[in-house]
Amino acid sequence: MSIRQLLLALIALSLVASFAHAQEETAEEVPLGEDGEDSIEEERDPNAISGVFGRAIFDGQDLLGVPRFPAGEKVYTTIGFANDVKNPAYDVFFVSAHITRLGDHLNHFQNFSGIRHDRAVARGETATFRYTFTPHEALEPMEYNLVVRLFFRNDNNQTFAAVAYNSTIIVEEPLGTDPKTIMTFLTIGAIIAAVAYVINLRRPKTSKPRATKKVEAEVSGTSTAAFDPEYVSKEHLNFREALLTRKSSASPVKRR
């Protein structure tokens, strides 16, 4: 059995137990006829909606605590719908929800999108429905009142509503950064980059002196020639040295 199937089974058992307890509390003494049998007619009013029970359970929330939902995040809900054995069959066709401020049940603060269903719930049957809604990301973190309702109809196409949840919830701060905040940061970053680029263009440029390669100077008589010994062959260097030595020894010193 999967976790989802186990959860649905637990919800169904909880709905049946709650429904039975509610029936015991509202039970009245039934008058008996002469034959000792119930004097109530077997068929009930098809327009009556007594004996219908709905309950909403939110995924990941403590059943005994106040549900807490981050703004801008999806809320997954399982809704149970129990139909009494003495009721006619009903067709559940719509689920919707809205929130209001505490103490103000007339003005809807946010209407959530409704979800259409087409589920026939026979007498004595319990059915479950999934519903998803998202508190707006701009909601102020505080307590609100949430109302979740199921809409159903009978064979005469008369529509009724059952309240599955009508109590307090807490809307908290968003978990992550919303798209509007991301676009704001990107815009600020682009402006800073543009300003830095303009300042860099207007900054005066300083010319750097070009590096010059030092070369050795060859002194021969009164002339100076620049050369790089690395690019001169060894034979030419030996010839040059011999030539310079010969010139220096052949030059007479004139005296008066």
Side-chain angles (χ1 to χ4, degrees):
M1 179 180 292
S2 64
I3 297 177
R4 182 177 180 183
Q5 291 176 342
L6 180 60
L7 177 61
L8 294 178
L10 292 175
I11 293 173
L13 291 175
S14 176
L15 291 173
V16 172
S18 300
F19 179 73
H21 181 67
Q23 289 294 100
E24 291 178 359
E25 292 182 349
T26 57
E28 298 180 355
E29 184 178 356
V30 178
L32 299 179
E34 296 180 355
D35 54 357
E37 297 181 355
D38 296 350
S39 59
I40 298 180
E41 295 180 359
E42 185 69 19
E43 294 293 332
R44 299 186 62 183
D45 183 3
N47 298 332
I49 59 172
S50 60
V52 172
F53 179 77
R55 185 179 182 184
I57 297 177
F58 308 101
D59 293 7
Q61 298 291 326
D62 186 1
L63 297 179
L64 301 179
V66 178
R68 311 175 72 93
F69 308 130
E73 299 294 327
K74 285 187 177 182
V75 178
Y76 297 92
T77 311
T78 300
I79 303 173
F81 180 83
N83 189 14
D84 185 59
V85 67
K86 295 182 179 181
N87 282 340
Y90 290 119
D91 179 25
V92 178
F93 65 92
F94 196 71
V95 177
S96 67
H98 65 270
I99 60 174
T100 63
R101 291 188 181 274
L102 294 181
D104 183 8
H105 299 282
L106 298 178
N107 299 317
H108 295 184
F109 201 75
Q110 181 182 359
N111 286 313
F112 300 111
S113 299
I115 297 180
R116 293 189 176 276
H117 292 276
D118 186 13
R119 174 71 181 275
V121 183
R123 58 178 64 188
E125 186 180 52
T126 299
T128 56
F129 304 87
R130 292 291 285 176
Y131 180 68
T132 304
F133 63 92
T134 305
H136 197 277
E137 58 189 16
L139 284 178
E140 182 181 356
M142 57 182 294
E143 292 185 345
Y144 296 90
N145 188 78
L146 172 67
V147 179
V148 181
R149 295 185 296 177
L150 298 97
F151 293 88
F152 56 98
R153 56 196 169 203
N154 57 15
D155 293 338
N156 297 328
N157 205 27
Q158 292 178 305
T159 301
F160 310 97
V163 177
Y165 189 87
N166 184 9
S167 189
T168 304
I169 63 169
I170 298 176
V171 176
E172 299 179 331
E173 293 282 354
L175 292 179
T177 305
D178 57 280
K180 292 184 179 178
T181 304
I182 294 176
M183 291 302 300
T184 301
F185 282 122
L186 291 177
T187 303
I188 294 175
I191 293 174
I192 293 175
V195 172
Y197 178 75
V198 172
I199 292 175
N200 186 47
L201 288 179
R202 294 184 178 181
R203 182 180 300 174
K205 298 181 179 180
T206 57
S207 59
K208 298 181 179 179
R210 298 179 61 184
T212 56
K213 184 177 180 180
K214 295 182 179 179
V215 297
E216 296 184 2
E218 176 188 1
V219 179
S220 176
T222 59
S223 63
T224 301
F227 73 97
D228 189 349
E230 295 181 359
Y231 294 96
V232 181
S233 63
K234 186 176 181 180
E235 292 78 6
H236 182 74
L237 291 176
N238 293 335
F239 173 77
R240 176 177 173 276
E241 290 293 333
L243 181 61
L244 292 176
T245 302
R246 187 183 306 169
K247 287 184 178 181
S248 60
S249 60
S251 299
V253 179
K254 295 182 180 180
R255 295 180 181 180
R256 291 183 178 181

